[in-house]
Amino acid sequence: MSMHRKTITLTEQQDGWVKAQIESGQFSNDSEYIRDLIRRDQQAKESLAILRQALAEGESSGAPKPLDISAIKAAGRKRIKAHG
């Protein structure tokens, strides 16, 4: 994977925060910490997109139906029995 050098500007408070993360031993340098933040942001965005997709599918799936707790319990018991 090729690397690209970037220059960023932080406030004093932000710089202190980054340094504290490195001093805590979780990261070895600024770049490692920033890359971790980017990975987490990418994962959060991906999770949010999946959730939005599921919500859209649910909304377009038709009118809600009454919840049948006894049928849900029976299906759960059947699954447990089949895998137990």
Side-chain angles (χ1 to χ4, degrees):
M1 176 187 327
S2 67
M3 300 293 237
H4 300 271
R5 183 172 295 274
K6 301 283 182 187
T7 301
I8 62 170
T9 304
L10 303 174
T11 65
E12 192 171 318
Q13 185 273 337
Q14 291 168 332
D15 187 53
W17 177 262
V18 172
K19 286 178 182 176
Q21 302 312 299
I22 295 164
E23 289 169 4
S24 74
Q26 292 179 289
F27 304 95
S28 58
N29 58 46
D30 296 22
S31 293
E32 189 178 300
Y33 179 64
I34 300 298
R35 285 192 301 270
D36 184 66
L37 290 176
I38 293 169
R39 276 191 296 274
R40 287 192 222 182
D41 186 49
Q42 289 170 325
Q43 291 168 348
K45 297 268 188 317
E46 186 176 315
S47 295
L48 186 57
I50 291 168
L51 179 58
R52 284 185 174 144
Q53 175 70 27
L55 287 170
E57 288 173 11
E59 289 173 347
S60 66
S61 68
K65 297 175 185 149
L67 190 62
D68 184 353
I69 296 296
S70 58
I72 293 170
K73 287 180 179 179
R77 288 186 187 108
K78 186 176 179 182
R79 269 191 190 170
I80 290 171
K81 193 173 184 180
H83 295 351

